[in-house]
Every structure is written in structure tokens, then in C-alpha cells.
Amino acid sequence: MVTVNRNYLKLPGSYLFSTIGKKVNAYQSENPDKKIIRLGIGDVTQPLAPAIIESLHEGVEEMAHAETFHGYAPDLGYEFLRSAISRNDYQARGCDISEDEIFVSDGAKSDSGNIQEIFGIDNKVAVCDPVYPVYVDTNVMAGRSGEYNPGRENFDGIIYMPCREENGFLPEFPSEVPDLIYLCFPNNPTGSAITKDELQKWVDYANQNGSVIIYDAAYEAYISEENIPHSIYECDGAKTCAIELKSFSKNAGFTGVRLGYTVVPKALERDGVKLHSLWARRHGTKFNGAPYIVQKAGAAVYSEAGKAQLKEQVAYYMRNAKVIYEGLSEAGFSVSGGVNAPYIWLKTPDRMTSWEFFDYLLEKVNVVGTPGSGFGAHGEGYFRLTAFGTYENTVEAIERMKKM
């Protein structure tokens, strides 16, 4: 008899953003005359930068000729891209990460879900609360959790590290030592950032306890303050305890193009095994590489023209973040984030639950955000807005909210 992976049945409902999409589509179908402004999902709205478009066209032309045609990509990714990543994202910041420690993929979401495969099922997992749902859900699917508790809105067997307003929405060391620690800074969903000194404490903690940090740095391009690290490898000792995930989606608008990478240092060993070799085996077995055309476009991100154009694009979204932050603050909302990240985290008014506020916003002013409770129990009573809309829509959305 065929059986199924019953760990999937532990997951409550559908994926958060699928639920949001269904609710918005239902409202739109009933109210086709309403202009809905979406500031919920972190999808970019600006077109790809000219330098990237030019590189894409060049790649397409190369694929049209036998002498420049490319088939399967190398397992780790093309050397020209990994070399550019190593030089610009690491060596330029004093991080000793070589190109053969970089694995190119189709995005940080895929890697954040897949990285758990190289670890044993008996590992204890720690996540921030609120948290990006993929970290939790994929470990539940793999069998590293117990049952879901509707009352607590969390899973048995998962270590949750509450991120509260009084501690700047940063996690504190858990009472139980975890094996795998998921950290995301600048943070999705709260928009909080961690200083180098504070991150160093986590690196020291992991090395002292034999833990592994899975560090999601997808939003590092939005950092504006000097004391905020762009990579965990800026911290001493991180190469012996940390795996880093990065994305081209938010810094270069590749949400629809798909490109990211994971760094697994060769110095990182656990259980007598180099994790680099395990990820290489998994990568080579289950992934055929990001397309040549896309990787060529990724290399354009590091060109002088690409850097200048993307700096302007990041500034565009951060102007939106400023509009949201200042506008809601003036309207009396309690808000945070929006300084080193494209997310604004606000308290729901009048003791509304997160989903009540979602419905209220949608119905009263036709603005869509993300309920904080969708990110975990400690997200209840909060709400996330993204800065990835157009400037005009962002201004209009905040004006609508100010008049509620």
C-alpha cells in the first residue's frame, strides 16, 4: 500500500501567502471596481536594471550560436559568477570566502528550504518568533517537529526564540541548546537589524556549543547603518559554525528571474564530516544549475554600471520605506523597521488581531499587508508592510491609512 509523508499533515492550512492571495482574489472578484494596493508580499515592482537587461540579451544571443552555446551549468555555478561574488560580496568586506565555497542556485527560498536535508532528523531546530515560515515548515516536513499546537500556534519539538519590542525584535539565547539556529538579518518580517557585536555573540555561542547557524542575508543590500554586518563572515570564527544564504531577488529584482547562492565554508565540520561536501553532493544530485543566461545576468550585478543602477533601485524602495514609516508614525501607529530593511512592522490598532486588521485594511481602504501572526505566535498583534510597491501606490496607500 502506498503511504504518504504524514509530516506534511502536521502543517496547518496552506502557505501564508497562498492564503492571502485567495482572500484578496475573492474580495477583488466581489468588488471589481476597487483599486487594491498590495504591500503584502515582498515582490519587487521596478524593472530589471539596464545593465542586467543588456547582459540577458547578450546571453540569449550566445545561445543562438554553436560556438557560444551553453548546456548544463557546472554544479557550483559558472566560475565567472562565483568569482564576482567572492570578490565583491566577501573579499571586499574582509571576509575570506573563496569561489569554491559558493554554490549558485535558483534562489534563497529554495536553499533555505533545502539546506536542512544535509542534517540528521534528530537535530533540534531553533527559530526566531516571528519567523519566515519556510524555515519552520520545511523542518516539519522533514520530521524534526512534533504536532502543531493551535493554542500556542507553534510546533512541539521546535525551539522558538521570541523577538519582542522590548528587545528590539532580536532573539535571545534559548534555555535549551539547539543544533541548528536559523537567523535572518536584516530581518523578515520585523525589519530589525543586528549589530556586528551582537552577531559575534551568536557566532561565539554556536562555536562553543557545536551548533550550526543558517544565516539568511537576503536583504543585506538595504543596510544603511555602518555598524550592521552585510555577512556573518564579518564575525570572527563564523567559518566554523555558519552557512550563509543570499539572494539576487531583492538587491537586483530577480524575483521572476530566479538566482541566489549559498556559502558553505570548507572549515565547517560536524559529526566528523565537512558540510561543504554534503551540500555539494546534494546540490549535484538534485539540482541542474541556474540557466547560463541568468547567471550571466547575475554577473552584471557586479559591473560598475550594474552597481550604480542597483544602488538607485535600492534607494527607490527605501524611499518607499521612509514614506510608510513616517506616514504611519504621524498617524499614531507604533512602527519599527524600514531603516536597514524594506519591511515596516507595526502594531495593530485597537487590540485587533493580525487577521482582523488584514480584513479591516482590505475592506476599508483596499490595502493589502501581511498579518504578523502568519509568521508565528509572537507576531500576533503586529502587521507587516513592504516597501516594494511603486512610489505612487505607496504614497496613496499610506494616505488612505492615515484617513482611517
Side-chain angles (χ1 to χ4, degrees):
M1 184 182 75
V2 174
T3 61
V4 300
N5 181 350
R6 303 193 71 81
N7 292 310
Y8 279 64
L9 305 182
K10 298 175 184 176
L11 296 168
S14 60
Y15 183 59
L16 170 63
F17 297 106
S18 299
T19 301
I20 290 172
K22 291 176 183 176
K23 289 174 74 74
V24 174
N25 291 338
Y27 179 84
Q28 185 76 87
S29 65
E30 295 172 2
N31 302 273
D33 58 321
K34 301 292 186 181
K35 177 188 175 182
I36 296 176
I37 300 178
R38 301 171 188 252
L39 300 181
I41 297 176
D43 195 2
V44 296
T45 53
Q46 294 302 292
L48 295 172
I52 294 170
I53 291 295
E54 181 180 351
S55 189
L56 281 169
H57 284 305
E58 290 175 358
V60 170
E61 184 61 29
E62 288 179 46
M63 297 297 279
H65 305 280
E67 61 272 19
T68 52
F69 174 81
H70 290 79
Y72 290 124
D75 282 355
L76 272 68
Y78 285 100
E79 189 277 335
F80 64 79
L81 177 57
R82 290 185 290 108
S83 177
I85 292 169
S86 176
R87 289 195 312 273
N88 291 275
D89 289 349
Y90 295 102
Q91 305 293 340
R93 296 194 173 107
C95 305
D96 183 22
I97 296 296
S98 60
E99 60 192 54
D100 61 355
E101 294 176 306
I102 297 165
F103 296 80
V104 176
S105 72
D106 60 354
K109 180 178 181 180
S110 299
D111 287 352
S112 66
N114 294 330
I115 194 67
Q116 52 79 26
E117 289 189 22
I118 67 173
F119 298 100
I121 297 299
D122 56 345
N123 283 292
K124 297 289 290 186
V125 175
V127 297
C128 295
D129 183 2
V131 64
Y132 181 46
V134 173
Y135 308 153
V136 174
D137 290 0
T138 52
N139 277 287
V140 172
M141 291 171 177
R144 292 191 189 87
S145 79
E147 297 298 322
Y148 182 73
N149 295 280
R152 297 202 311 266
E153 297 183 274
N154 60 25
F155 287 91
D156 290 335
I158 300 288
I159 300 171
Y160 291 89
M161 303 180 292
C163 299
R164 302 183 177 91
E165 182 179 8
E166 54 266 29
N167 62 5
F169 297 106
L170 298 179
E172 297 177 355
F173 296 126
S175 57
E176 180 182 0
V177 176
D179 300 302
L180 305 179
I181 304 169
Y182 285 78
L183 296 177
C184 173
F185 292 106
N187 186 256
N188 175 21
T190 67
S192 61
I194 193 168
T195 65
K196 183 177 179 180
D197 288 345
E198 288 300 313
L199 184 56
Q200 183 66 59
K201 294 177 183 178
W202 281 97
V203 169
D204 294 342
Y205 174 89
N207 278 321
Q208 290 165 7
N209 291 285
S211 307
V212 172
I213 296 172
I214 298 172
Y215 193 76
D216 187 344
Y219 301 95
E220 61 83 20
Y222 293 86
I223 293 172
S224 63
E225 297 178 321
E226 292 185 3
N227 63 334
I228 306 300
H230 289 255
S231 166
I232 196 169
Y233 301 117
E234 293 178 42
C235 296
D236 295 336
K239 290 182 66 176
T240 57
C241 71
I243 293 171
E244 183 162 273
L245 317 173
K246 284 195 176 180
S247 169
F248 286 76
S249 288
K250 304 306 192 291
N251 68 326
F254 277 43
T255 55
V257 179
R258 306 310 304 148
L259 191 65
Y261 65 87
T262 289
V263 176
V264 186
K266 291 183 177 179
L268 178 52
E269 295 186 22
R270 291 296 183 271
D271 199 17
V273 179
K274 290 183 179 293
L275 299 189
H276 181 278
S277 65
L278 294 184
W279 186 240
R281 188 68 172 87
R282 191 266 172 209
H283 208 62
T285 300
K286 293 192 174 185
F287 184 61
N288 263 342
Y292 168 75
I293 295 169
V294 174
Q295 293 196 49
K296 185 176 177 67
V301 168
Y302 300 103
S303 67
E304 289 307 311
K307 289 178 182 177
Q309 292 163 10
L310 294 177
K311 185 177 181 180
E312 291 181 2
Q313 203 164 85
V314 168
Y316 177 94
Y317 292 127
M318 290 310 286
R319 180 173 66 154
N320 289 350
K322 185 177 182 180
V323 167
I324 297 171
Y325 186 97
E326 293 183 351
L328 295 183
S329 295
E330 291 171 6
F333 286 89
S334 174
V335 295
S336 60
V339 176
N340 295 296
Y343 294 117
I344 288 78
W345 189 243
L346 62 139
K347 277 187 177 180
T348 58
D350 302 325
R351 297 180 180 271
M352 288 186 189
T353 68
S354 297
W355 280 105
E356 285 173 347
F357 188 60
F358 174 90
D359 292 335
Y360 183 82
L361 269 188
L362 178 61
E363 295 168 7
K364 298 297 182 182
V365 295
N366 308 139
V367 172
V368 176
T370 308
S373 60
F375 299 102
H378 284 85
E380 181 55 85
Y382 289 90
F383 203 76
R384 192 193 75 173
L385 294 176
T386 85
F388 288 121
T390 65
Y391 178 73
E392 294 75 16
N393 278 348
T394 300
V395 170
E396 182 177 347
I398 299 309
E399 287 302 312
R400 293 182 189 179
M401 291 181 68
K402 289 167 70 174
K403 294 175 182 177
M404 289 192 306

